[in-house]
Protein backbone atom coordinates (compact mmCIF):
# COMPACT_ATOMS: atom_id res chain seq x y z
CA UNK A 1 0.00 0.00 0.00
CA UNK A 2 1.28 3.46 -0.84
CA UNK A 3 1.92 6.00 1.96
CA UNK A 4 -1.22 8.03 1.21
CA UNK A 5 -3.31 4.85 1.45
CA UNK A 6 -1.55 3.96 4.69
CA UNK A 7 -2.32 7.43 6.07
CA UNK A 8 -6.00 7.19 5.11
CA UNK A 9 -6.21 3.66 6.56
CA UNK A 10 -4.54 4.88 9.77
CA UNK A 11 -6.96 7.80 10.06
CA UNK A 12 -9.96 5.52 9.48
CA UNK A 13 -8.63 3.05 12.08
CA UNK A 14 -8.07 5.81 14.64
CA UNK A 15 -11.50 7.30 13.86
CA UNK A 16 -13.06 3.89 14.47
CA UNK A 17 -11.31 3.61 17.84
CA UNK A 18 -12.30 7.16 18.80
CA UNK A 19 -15.93 6.63 17.78
CA UNK A 20 -15.98 3.42 19.78
CA UNK A 21 -14.56 5.43 22.69
CA UNK A 22 -17.33 8.03 22.25
CA UNK A 23 -19.89 5.23 22.37
CA UNK A 24 -18.35 3.69 25.51
CA UNK A 25 -18.18 7.09 27.24
CA UNK A 26 -21.82 7.86 26.38
CA UNK A 27 -23.26 4.41 27.19
CA UNK A 28 -21.14 2.91 29.94
CA UNK A 29 -19.38 5.59 31.95
CA UNK A 30 -21.76 7.31 34.37
CA UNK A 31 -19.26 9.89 35.68
CA UNK A 32 -15.97 11.14 34.32
CA UNK A 33 -13.04 9.91 36.37
CA UNK A 34 -9.38 10.31 35.47
CA UNK A 35 -8.83 6.54 35.44
CA UNK A 36 -11.25 6.25 32.50
CA UNK A 37 -9.44 9.01 30.64
CA UNK A 38 -6.09 7.31 31.27
CA UNK A 39 -7.44 4.02 29.94
CA UNK A 40 -9.03 5.77 26.95
CA UNK A 41 -5.85 7.68 26.03
CA UNK A 42 -3.68 4.61 26.46
CA UNK A 43 -5.95 2.40 24.33
CA UNK A 44 -6.42 4.99 21.58
CA UNK A 45 -2.71 5.70 21.23
CA UNK A 46 -1.90 2.00 21.43
CA UNK A 47 -4.06 1.72 18.32
CA UNK A 48 -2.34 4.66 16.62
CA UNK A 49 1.08 3.22 17.46
CA UNK A 50 -0.04 -0.16 16.15
CA UNK A 51 -1.09 1.41 12.84
CA UNK A 52 2.20 3.30 12.52
CA UNK A 53 4.19 0.22 13.50
CA UNK A 54 2.39 -2.03 11.03
CA UNK A 55 3.49 0.07 8.06
CA UNK A 56 7.09 -0.18 9.25
CA UNK A 57 7.00 -3.86 10.15
CA UNK A 58 7.18 -3.17 13.88
CA UNK A 59 3.62 -3.56 15.08
CA UNK A 60 4.40 -4.60 18.67
CA UNK A 61 6.98 -1.86 19.16
CA UNK A 62 4.57 0.70 17.71
CA UNK A 63 1.70 -0.47 19.90
CA UNK A 64 3.76 -0.44 23.11
CA UNK A 65 5.27 2.96 22.37
CA UNK A 66 1.83 4.27 21.39
CA UNK A 67 0.38 3.07 24.69
CA UNK A 68 3.14 4.91 26.57
CA UNK A 69 2.52 8.06 24.53
CA UNK A 70 -1.20 7.84 25.23
CA UNK A 71 -0.74 7.28 28.94
CA UNK A 72 1.65 10.23 29.09
CA UNK A 73 -0.68 12.49 27.11
CA UNK A 74 -3.73 11.55 29.19
CA UNK A 75 -1.79 11.98 32.44
CA UNK A 76 -0.47 15.32 31.20
CA UNK A 77 -4.00 16.40 30.41
CA UNK A 78 -5.21 15.72 33.94
CA UNK A 79 -2.27 17.64 35.39
CA UNK A 80 -2.62 20.63 33.04
CA UNK A 81 -6.43 20.71 33.09
CA UNK A 82 -6.31 22.05 36.64
CA UNK A 83 -4.60 25.17 35.26
CA UNK A 84 -5.91 25.39 31.72
CA UNK A 85 -9.28 23.62 31.63
CA UNK A 86 -10.20 22.05 28.28
CA UNK A 87 -7.40 23.96 26.55
CA UNK A 88 -5.05 21.36 28.00
CA UNK A 89 -6.67 18.79 25.70
CA UNK A 90 -5.48 20.68 22.62
CA UNK A 91 -1.98 21.13 24.03
CA UNK A 92 -1.61 17.42 24.80
CA UNK A 93 -3.20 16.39 21.48
CA UNK A 94 -0.47 18.31 19.71
CA UNK A 95 2.17 16.91 22.08
CA UNK A 96 1.22 13.33 21.33
CA UNK A 97 1.68 13.98 17.58
CA UNK A 98 5.17 15.33 18.21
CA UNK A 99 5.91 12.17 20.20
CA UNK A 100 4.60 10.01 17.36
CA UNK A 101 6.78 11.99 14.93
CA UNK A 102 9.84 11.13 16.96
CA UNK A 103 8.74 7.50 17.23
CA UNK A 104 8.28 7.16 13.47
CA UNK A 105 11.58 8.88 12.69
CA UNK A 106 13.77 7.15 15.24
CA UNK A 107 12.14 3.96 16.42
CA UNK A 108 10.04 2.22 13.83
CA UNK A 109 12.38 0.73 11.30
CA UNK A 110 13.93 1.74 8.03
CA UNK A 111 14.56 4.15 6.59
CA UNK A 112 15.53 5.71 9.86
CA UNK A 113 15.42 9.49 9.96
CA UNK A 114 17.24 12.07 12.01
CA UNK A 115 15.82 13.35 15.27
CA UNK A 116 15.38 16.74 13.59
CA UNK A 117 13.24 15.12 10.91
CA UNK A 118 11.14 13.53 13.66
CA UNK A 119 10.60 16.90 15.31
CA UNK A 120 9.65 18.46 11.98
CA UNK A 121 7.23 15.69 11.04
CA UNK A 122 5.81 15.72 14.55
CA UNK A 123 5.36 19.49 14.46
CA UNK A 124 3.61 19.29 11.08
CA UNK A 125 1.38 16.50 12.40
CA UNK A 126 0.66 18.53 15.54
CA UNK A 127 -0.24 21.68 13.63
CA UNK A 128 -2.39 19.99 11.00
CA UNK A 129 -4.11 17.58 13.31
CA UNK A 130 -4.33 20.20 16.06
CA UNK A 131 -6.26 22.57 13.80
CA UNK A 132 -8.52 19.76 12.64
CA UNK A 133 -9.04 18.58 16.24
CA UNK A 134 -10.04 22.09 17.27
CA UNK A 135 -12.42 22.32 14.30
CA UNK A 136 -14.25 19.11 15.30
CA UNK A 137 -14.14 19.66 19.08
CA UNK A 138 -17.86 20.44 19.18
CA UNK A 139 -18.63 16.74 18.92
CA UNK A 140 -18.10 16.40 22.65
CA UNK A 141 -18.84 19.95 23.82
CA UNK A 142 -22.07 20.57 21.87
CA UNK A 143 -24.03 17.35 22.00
CA UNK A 144 -27.01 16.88 19.73
CA UNK A 145 -30.42 16.25 21.24
CA UNK A 146 -30.81 12.51 21.71
CA UNK A 147 -27.10 11.82 22.14
CA UNK A 148 -24.09 11.51 19.87
CA UNK A 149 -24.44 11.04 16.12
CA UNK A 150 -21.86 8.28 15.65
CA UNK A 151 -21.53 8.43 11.84
CA UNK A 152 -20.93 12.17 12.17
CA UNK A 153 -18.41 11.59 14.97
CA UNK A 154 -16.63 9.03 12.80
CA UNK A 155 -16.36 11.54 9.94
CA UNK A 156 -15.10 14.24 12.32
CA UNK A 157 -12.52 11.94 13.88
CA UNK A 158 -11.30 10.93 10.43
CA UNK A 159 -10.79 14.61 9.61
CA UNK A 160 -8.95 15.13 12.90
CA UNK A 161 -6.58 12.19 12.47
CA UNK A 162 -5.81 12.42 8.76
CA UNK A 163 -3.38 15.39 8.86
CA UNK A 164 -1.32 13.66 11.56
CA UNK A 165 -1.06 10.41 9.66
CA UNK A 166 -0.26 12.23 6.41
CA UNK A 167 2.54 14.21 8.06
CA UNK A 168 4.03 11.07 9.57
CA UNK A 169 3.68 8.65 6.68
CA UNK A 170 4.17 10.63 3.48
CA UNK A 171 7.77 10.38 2.42
CA UNK A 172 9.59 13.48 1.38
CA UNK A 173 13.13 14.63 0.94
CA UNK A 174 15.10 14.59 4.09
CA UNK A 175 18.18 13.12 5.66
CA UNK A 176 18.07 9.50 6.61
CA UNK A 177 20.60 7.79 8.79
CA UNK A 178 21.64 4.19 8.77
CA UNK A 179 21.58 2.08 11.90
CA UNK A 180 25.40 2.27 12.03
CA UNK A 181 25.35 6.09 12.03
CA UNK A 182 22.57 6.35 14.58
CA UNK A 183 24.17 4.18 17.23
Amino acid sequence: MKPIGQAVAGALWAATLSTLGDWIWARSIPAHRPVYGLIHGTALCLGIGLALGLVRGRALKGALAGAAIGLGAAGGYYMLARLMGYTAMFVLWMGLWVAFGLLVARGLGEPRQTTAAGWIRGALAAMGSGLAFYAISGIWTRHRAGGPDYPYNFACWTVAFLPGFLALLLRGPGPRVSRQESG
Side-chain angles (χ1 to χ4, degrees), residues 117-170:
W119 280 105
I120 291 167
R121 282 184 179 271
L124 290 171
M127 287 185 287
S129 193
L131 289 171
F133 184 70
Y134 180 76
I136 65 103
S137 63
I139 65 174
W140 71 84
T141 60
R142 295 182 298 275
H143 296 289
R144 295 174 182 227
D149 177 352
Y150 296 108
Y152 177 74
N153 282 22
F154 177 79
C156 287
W157 283 122
T158 301
V159 167
F161 284 110
L162 187 57
F165 277 98
L166 286 170
L168 298 182
L169 295 176
L170 290 182

Side-chain angles (χ1 to χ4, degrees), residues 106 110 112-113 177-183:
R106 301 298 296 162
E110 299 295 335
R112 199 163 170 153
Q113 301 171 348
V177 292
S178 68
R179 292 225 183 258
Q180 293 84 14
E181 292 176 64
S182 63

Side-chain angles (χ1 to χ4, degrees), residues 19-109:
T19 304
L20 176 61
D22 292 344
W23 183 81
I24 291 169
W25 279 101
R27 304 282 182 218
S28 302
I29 299 176
H32 185 105
R33 294 205 170 96
V35 67
Y36 300 134
L38 293 169
I39 292 168
H40 176 87
T42 301
L44 174 61
C45 290
L46 181 149
I48 293 170
L50 175 65
L52 293 170
L54 276 172
V55 301
R56 296 291 199 284
R58 300 244 170 129
L60 181 60
K61 186 173 186 177
L64 293 174
I69 290 168
L71 182 61
Y77 166 75
Y78 287 107
M79 290 180 2
L80 285 178
R82 296 174 189 209
L83 303 171
M84 303 173 72
Y86 270 125
T87 303
M89 191 174 305
F90 301 103
V91 172
L92 273 300
W93 176 266
M94 293 174 71
L96 73 84
W97 284 108
V98 171
F100 278 120
L102 291 168
L103 174 65
V104 166
R106 301 298 296 162
L108 289 180

